[in-house]
């Protein structure tokens, strides 16, 4: 309430202020506005009035301030479900007019869909789905077959979703998601929800066939009671209800099929997902009929409505559950609109379909690549939880492959190694747990994922050092020997190389996620690309070394001396995976030097801040990498030394972007069967080509030209920037 309104509220006849609140026996209400005005004028910034019986905690508890999420208030229209029911908020039947009853039932179904989508987005179950009074009292709906069957399957679905998210432990991203607050999730007979739903669906199908039957057959079907009383609306209402019920049925099947161990239900789940998408399309199509058969609402007015008809649903009160125990104050919730809810579920089903289409490849590299590609679609919590449960079951990959077997395959060791006694080593067991943790972490959202990756980098570094110590202790002087008798040496050598490679992959992922989360300012791009460059160089080195150790030694042992000269060039060929990394290395190096040259010659993209220096920002961004010594002997002085003398004249002599472009074109043929890699290479090509042109333009026009403006955009690639050169 503003000052003027407050004055009017307290003003009596003749301008005299009077209290609108009657005084009690032991209390007298007085206007304290002058006192507050005086206090506001007297208080300096940061000061707070403090009394013996009124402190900061009391002020925060008593007053609604700032964001309504801080304190949404506890004022409720009804203080119990019974009170709301007695007031007629959730009547059974909804209406004695069958047509109105059907229309209102559909509105309830639509609003529940919107509530469910809002819940999936991270809001409280009690203030979204269970704001429906019909769900809170399951026994009341038994006389209403349509509503009863729908409420049952909703409760069963919520229970399944909570179970998936809890087991995946991704609910830590959204604390409120899995908290059921003692809500009636386990209604009597909910385990048989599909049986009841199928019976109602069959009745609706008969009613639909009856209303569509030609006049010659209608006499035979006269014993079938119509859904409602208006003949012209019968077919539309039957279809609208059928697609909504079938969506719930197929969605429940999707959830149960995807929970089957070892991915055994994925193929069947895909069929149900296709049905879900089809029913959603039918639900969208029913919107026009429902709008004009009801109140005649226009399509323009549906943007904020939670039902397809645009009508307000019956039987909901979000404030009823606000007094239930919660870890935070009740938050003000805006339910998603019906159109937003349909859009959310359409995306959810497409994301689940991608998961179900996954081939359960036992290769860790393939798994990591699949998850990274999947994360680019920005899946929500429910889809990511299903993915995590699919990947890690009973401490095995896909519930089938032991983690040590996964490690030996990733380290390019022979298949027989998976049964070696080395898997009983304490540090090898710890390494297996790190792999499991990594698989779980990359299924979380980007912010959570980056935070966790930053923490586990040090664990990977420590396990490498521990394995190295065991390797030296066990093998001693024979550590350099690679022969059939010394299998421990071979296994440890492969595993050590792979652990380093994986550590640098985690580091690169950590840096790349910073671009996705927009954690870097343009002034910091230079140091970020420089660090990405040194990490990618190490990653390429370890990847190449792993491939060389795997294939090179075996081939060389079997060759005769006369064949050696013929195969030198063949053996020297760089593997496609390494060339792919080298293309990215050239881009990172080129961007580092271009940004450094712009800073050195044009004085743009400099870090000038009264709050922190360039060194402090370097530490802020890379402290976790520095603590883990990733890479070794890399620190802020190394960055300074690499970039201080960067000049455009030097960049022209060695154009990294041209090298990146050449490598991208060369390596394309090696990934002809991998569409994701080809798409990535095309993006890298575009960045390299545009940046090469921009570099030439800057050098030709002259760096000292004041009209020259250079900016960087991510219009071709999510984390390799493209330089845009303009004249002001």
């Amino acid at each position: 309430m503003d000052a003027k309104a407050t004055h009017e509220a307290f003003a009596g006849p003749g301008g005299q202020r009077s209290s609108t609140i009657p005084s009690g026996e032991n209390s007298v209400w007085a206007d304290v506005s002058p006192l507050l005005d005086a206090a506001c004028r007297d208080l300096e910034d940061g000061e707070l009035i403090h009394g013996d019986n009124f402190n900061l905690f009391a002020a925060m508890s008593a007053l609604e301030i700032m964001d309504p999420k801080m304190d949404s208030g506890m004022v409720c229209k009804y203080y119990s479900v019974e009170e709301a029911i007695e007031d007629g908020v959730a009547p059974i039947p909804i209406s004695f007019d069958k047509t109105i009853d059907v229309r209102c039932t559909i509105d309830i179904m639509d609003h529940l869909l919107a509530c469910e989508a809002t819940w999936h987005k991270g809001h409280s179950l009690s203030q979204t789905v269970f704001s429906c009074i019909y769900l809170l009292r399951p026994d009341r709906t038994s006389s209403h077959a349509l509503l009863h069957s729908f409420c049952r399957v909703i409760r069963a679905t919520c229970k399944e979703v909570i179970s998936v998210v809890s087991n995946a432990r991704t609910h830590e991203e959204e604390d409120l998601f899995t908290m059921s607050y003692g809500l009636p999730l386990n209604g009597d007979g909910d385990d048989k929800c599909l049986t009841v739903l199928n019976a109602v669906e069959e009745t609706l199908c008969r009613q639909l066939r009856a209303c569509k039957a030609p006049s010659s057959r209608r006499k035979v079907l006269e014993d079938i009671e119509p859904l409602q009383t208006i003949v012209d609306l019968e077919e539309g209402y039957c279809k609208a209800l059928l697609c909504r019920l079938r969506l719930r049925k197929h969605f429940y099947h999707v959830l149960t099929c995807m929970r089957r161990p070892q991915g055994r239900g994925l193929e069947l789940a895909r069929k149900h997902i296709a049905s879900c998408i089809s029913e959603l399309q039918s639900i969208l199509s029913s919107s026009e009929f429902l709008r004009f058969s009801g109140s005649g609402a226009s399509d323009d007015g549906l943007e904020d409505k939670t039902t397809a008809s645009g009508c307000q649903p019956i039987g909901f009160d979000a404030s009823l559950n606000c007094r239930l125990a919660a870890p935070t104050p009740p938050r003000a919730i805006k339910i998603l609109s019906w159109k937003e809810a349909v859009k959310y579920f359409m995306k959810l089903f497409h994301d689940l379909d991608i998961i179900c289409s996954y081939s359960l490849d036992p290769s860790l590299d393939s798994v990591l690549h699949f998850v990274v590609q999947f994360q680019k679609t920005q899946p929500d919590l429910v889809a990511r939880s299903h993915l995590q449960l699919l990947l890690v079951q009973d401490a095995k990959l896909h519930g089938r492959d032991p983690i040590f077997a996964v490690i030996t395959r990733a380290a390019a060791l022979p298949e027989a190694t998976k049964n070696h006694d080395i898997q009983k080593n304490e540090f090898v067991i710890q390494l297996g747990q790190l792999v499991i943790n990594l698989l779980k972490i990359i299924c979380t959202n980007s912010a959570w994922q980056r935070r966790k990756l930053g923490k586990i980098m040090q664990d990977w570094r420590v396990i490498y050092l521990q394995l190295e110590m065991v390797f030296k202790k066990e093998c001693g002087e024979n550590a350099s020997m690679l022969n059939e008798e010394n299998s421990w040496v071979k296994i440890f050598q492969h595993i050590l190389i792979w652990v380093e490679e994986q550590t640098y992959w985690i580091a690169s992922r950590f840096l790349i996620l910073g671009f996705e989360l927009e954690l870097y300012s343009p002034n910091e791009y230079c140091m970020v690309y420089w660090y990405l460059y040194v990490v990618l160089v190490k990653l390429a080195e370890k990847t190449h070394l792993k491939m060389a150790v795997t294939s090179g030694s075996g081939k060389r042992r079997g060759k005769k001396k006369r064949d050696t000269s013929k195969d030198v060039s063949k053996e020297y060929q760089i593997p496609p995976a390494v060339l792919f990394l080298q293309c990215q290395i050239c881009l990172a190096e080129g961007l580092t030097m271009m940004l450094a040259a712009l800073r050195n010659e044009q004085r743009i993209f400099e870090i000038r801040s009264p709050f922190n220096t360039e060194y402090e920002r370097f530490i802020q961004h890379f402290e976790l990498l520095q603590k883990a010594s990733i890479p070794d002997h890399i620190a802020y002085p190394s960055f300074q030394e690499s970039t201080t003398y960067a000049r455009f004249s030097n960049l022209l002599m060695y154009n990294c972007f041209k090298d990146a472009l050449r490598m991208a074109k060369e390596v394309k043929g090696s990934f002809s069967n991998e569409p994701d890699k080809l798409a990535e290479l095309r993006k890298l090509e575009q960045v390299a080509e545009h940046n090469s042109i921009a570099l030439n333009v800057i050098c030709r026009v002259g760096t000292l030209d004041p009209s020259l403006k250079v900016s960087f955009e991510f219009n071709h690639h999510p984390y390799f920037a493209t330089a845009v050169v303009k004249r002001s």
Side-chain angles (χ1 to χ4, degrees):
M1 183 182 298
D2 59 20
K4 183 178 178 182
T6 306
H7 176 80
E8 290 173 355
F10 282 97
Q16 295 293 322
R17 285 159 104 53
S18 61
S19 173
T20 57
I21 306 174
S23 300
E25 292 181 2
N26 301 315
S27 63
V28 177
W29 289 91
D31 180 18
V32 296
S33 298
L35 174 63
L36 293 176
D37 289 339
C40 288
R41 286 193 299 271
D42 190 52
L43 287 172
E44 299 293 334
D45 288 343
E47 290 185 335
L48 177 72
I49 294 177
H50 177 79
D52 293 336
N53 61 348
F54 193 76
N55 52 24
L56 176 61
F57 178 79
M60 290 292 289
S61 302
L63 302 176
E64 181 179 339
I65 60 172
M66 298 179 295
D67 190 336
K69 284 186 178 182
M70 291 290 291
D71 181 6
S72 61
M74 298 299 285
V75 177
C76 307
K77 186 175 180 181
Y78 304 106
Y79 290 95
S80 69
V81 178
E82 286 69 24
E83 186 181 342
I85 291 170
E86 286 175 12
D87 201 36
V89 175
I92 294 288
I94 301 169
S95 173
F96 291 104
D97 184 324
K98 284 190 175 182
T99 303
I100 295 174
D101 187 88
V102 168
R103 178 169 58 78
C104 290
T105 302
I106 293 173
D107 287 340
I108 292 168
M109 293 176 175
D110 286 346
H111 188 75
L112 276 170
L113 188 76
C115 288
E116 191 175 8
T118 308
W119 172 49
H120 284 195
K121 287 288 188 179
H123 286 286
S124 161
L125 182 65
S126 63
Q127 291 181 280
T128 52
V129 179
F130 278 84
S131 64
C132 179
I133 296 170
Y134 295 110
L135 284 173
L136 292 170
R137 292 293 179 267
D139 53 306
R140 291 188 65 247
T141 58
S142 56
S143 61
H144 196 296
L146 275 172
L147 198 55
H148 190 60
S149 62
F150 195 84
C151 288
R152 272 190 168 186
V153 77
I154 282 281
R155 282 193 299 271
T157 301
C158 289
K159 187 179 175 182
E160 281 293 321
V161 170
I162 287 174
S163 175
V164 167
V165 177
S166 297
N167 291 342
R169 304 186 74 83
T170 47
H171 65 281
E172 292 176 356
E173 301 172 21
E174 288 290 353
D175 297 343
L176 298 175
F177 190 91
T178 58
M179 294 184 180
S180 56
Y181 310 100
L183 296 168
L185 281 169
N186 299 307
D188 291 336
D190 281 356
D191 53 333
K192 298 177 181 178
C193 62
L194 292 184
T195 305
V196 179
L197 193 71
N198 287 332
V200 173
E201 182 188 354
E202 181 57 35
T203 302
L204 281 170
C205 287
R206 288 200 299 269
Q207 290 168 330
L208 179 60
R209 285 195 297 269
C211 73
K212 291 172 71 176
S215 55
S216 58
R217 289 189 58 204
R218 281 186 184 169
K219 289 184 179 180
V220 181
L221 299 170
E222 276 181 358
D223 60 327
I224 298 174
E225 185 181 354
L227 179 66
Q228 45 82 56
T229 53
I230 303 176
V231 177
D232 293 339
L233 301 179
E234 181 78 357
E235 182 178 347
Y237 278 130
C238 283
K239 286 181 176 179
L241 282 167
L242 276 171
C243 59
R244 283 160 174 79
L245 291 175
R246 285 169 176 165
L247 173 66
R248 303 312 316 186
K249 177 179 73 173
H250 290 299
F251 185 31
Y252 185 74
H253 275 305
V254 168
L255 295 173
T256 53
C257 288
M258 291 188 74
R259 292 292 302 276
R260 292 181 186 176
Q262 301 181 13
R264 293 190 187 116
L266 296 184
E267 189 176 345
L268 182 58
R270 287 198 77 182
K271 294 178 181 178
H272 287 295
I273 288 169
S275 298
C276 285
I277 293 171
S278 174
E279 298 304 338
L280 268 180
Q281 295 288 359
S282 299
I283 289 172
L284 277 171
S285 302
S286 70
S287 173
E288 187 176 353
F289 164 78
L290 293 170
R291 283 199 317 274
F292 292 105
S293 64
S295 60
S298 65
D299 190 34
D300 297 336
L302 280 181
E303 291 306 317
D304 295 323
K305 303 295 183 182
T306 59
T307 61
S309 66
C311 300
Q312 189 71 19
I314 291 172
F316 290 84
D317 189 341
S319 65
L320 268 178
N321 298 317
C322 69
R323 288 175 175 269
L324 290 172
T328 60
R331 297 188 288 179
I333 290 177
K334 184 180 185 302
I335 301 296
L336 293 177
S337 71
W338 177 76
K339 285 187 174 180
E340 290 171 331
V342 171
K343 185 179 177 181
Y344 165 79
F345 276 100
M346 193 68 80
K347 185 179 185 307
L348 173 62
F349 293 134
H350 281 298
D351 288 340
L352 293 177
D353 189 56
I354 292 171
I355 295 171
C356 292
S357 64
Y358 175 52
S359 61
L360 304 186
D361 194 324
S363 164
L364 183 63
D365 288 341
S366 299
V367 171
L368 295 176
H369 177 72
F370 172 80
V371 177
V372 169
Q373 290 299 119
F374 179 68
Q375 289 279 30
K376 290 179 180 178
T377 66
Q378 297 183 331
D380 283 295
L381 180 63
V382 175
R384 286 186 280 102
S385 299
H386 276 286
L387 176 59
Q388 186 187 309
L389 287 184
L390 175 63
L391 294 181
V392 182
Q393 299 174 25
D394 301 323
K396 295 179 180 179
L397 181 64
H398 310 134
R400 301 184 306 196
D401 300 293
I403 291 300
F404 182 70
V406 173
I407 291 171
T408 56
R409 195 177 292 112
L413 282 161
E415 187 69 18
T417 314
K418 66 183 182 181
N419 299 317
H420 198 280
D421 285 345
I422 200 173
Q423 63 185 298
K424 298 174 184 176
N425 180 277
E426 175 189 355
F427 299 117
V428 173
I429 292 170
Q430 288 179 21
L431 177 61
Q433 189 57 51
L434 284 180
V435 173
I436 291 173
N437 291 344
L438 176 61
L439 289 171
K440 291 180 177 181
I441 287 168
I442 61 171
C443 292
T444 58
N445 67 40
S446 297
W448 193 268
Q449 182 183 156
R450 189 175 190 272
R451 194 178 309 124
K452 292 291 186 181
L453 288 177
K455 291 179 180 178
I456 68 163
M457 276 190 292
Q458 200 159 1
D459 296 334
W460 279 80
R461 192 63 171 169
V462 168
I463 203 70
Y464 171 80
L465 295 173
Q466 290 172 331
L467 287 169
E468 190 178 40
M469 288 171 63
V470 173
F471 172 63
K472 290 176 179 177
K473 181 181 176 182
E474 293 288 338
C475 306
E477 295 178 358
N478 297 322
S480 60
M481 295 172 57
L482 284 172
N483 50 47
E484 294 300 326
E485 291 77 21
N486 201 353
S487 59
W488 276 70
V489 175
K490 289 166 61 176
I491 294 170
F492 263 116
Q493 190 175 40
H494 280 256
I495 289 178
L496 283 170
I497 293 169
W498 173 76
V499 169
E500 276 202 296
E501 179 196 19
Q502 202 59 50
T503 304
Y504 288 117
W505 182 88
I506 293 169
S508 66
R509 181 76 183 149
F510 174 81
L511 292 170
I512 288 165
L513 283 170
F515 286 102
E516 184 180 320
L517 295 166
E518 299 181 359
L519 300 180
Y520 312 128
S521 69
N523 294 341
E524 297 164 342
Y525 287 166
C526 184
M527 67 172 68
V528 174
Y529 282 120
W530 177 82
Y531 216 113
L532 182 61
Y533 161 73
V534 295
V535 167
L536 288 174
V537 166
K538 288 291 184 181
L539 178 58
E541 282 178 10
K542 300 307 172 184
T543 304
H544 201 176
L545 181 59
K546 182 184 75 174
M547 292 177 173
V549 169
T550 304
S551 58
S553 58
K555 288 181 180 178
R556 280 196 297 273
R557 275 201 311 272
K559 293 199 179 290
K560 298 178 182 178
K561 287 186 178 180
R562 66 173 182 271
D563 297 329
T564 305
S565 60
K566 293 180 182 179
D567 293 312
V568 168
S569 60
K570 195 172 184 180
E571 288 184 7
Y572 187 70
Q573 286 181 350
I574 300 174
V578 178
L579 267 177
F580 185 86
L581 286 170
Q582 285 185 343
C583 178
Q584 295 180 314
I585 288 167
C586 287
L587 281 180
E589 184 182 11
L591 283 164
T592 301
M593 293 299 113
M594 181 189 278
L595 285 156
L598 286 168
R599 182 192 64 189
N600 295 338
E601 295 188 33
Q602 284 194 313
R603 298 297 173 190
I604 59 175
F605 299 113
E606 282 189 299
I607 295 180
R608 294 178 179 176
S609 170
F611 304 108
N612 48 20
T613 62
E614 185 179 66
Y615 169 73
E616 289 171 331
R617 292 202 186 190
F618 186 92
I619 295 301
Q620 286 168 3
H621 284 303
F622 312 125
E623 183 179 14
L624 294 172
L625 292 158
Q626 293 281 288
K627 282 182 178 178
S629 299
I630 301 175
D632 285 321
H633 314 302
I634 292 295
Y636 178 70
S638 310
F639 164 67
Q640 276 190 313
E641 185 181 338
S642 302
T643 57
T644 301
Y645 301 105
R647 297 291 185 273
F648 280 104
S649 56
N650 299 332
L651 294 185
L652 275 181
M653 291 173 63
Y654 175 54
N655 191 331
C656 297
F657 300 121
K658 286 184 178 179
D659 287 346
L661 189 60
R662 174 179 55 78
M663 288 178 191
K665 289 179 177 177
E666 282 178 10
V667 81
K668 264 186 177 180
S670 304
F671 297 107
S672 55
N673 295 324
E674 299 182 53
D676 292 337
K677 287 280 178 71
L678 282 177
E680 177 71 9
L681 283 167
R682 280 193 289 270
K683 292 176 183 177
L684 295 176
E685 270 188 277
Q686 287 181 310
V687 174
E689 188 174 357
H690 282 81
N691 282 340
S692 184
I693 294 169
L695 181 60
N696 289 329
V697 169
I698 294 170
C699 293
R700 189 172 66 249
V701 173
T703 56
L704 298 178
D705 187 345
S707 65
L708 197 67
K709 301 295 179 187
V710 183
S711 60
F712 288 86
E713 298 176 358
F714 296 93
N715 47 6
H716 294 113
H717 196 276
Y719 54 89
F720 283 117
T722 303
V724 178
V725 184
K726 294 179 181 178
R727 283 187 181 275
S728 57

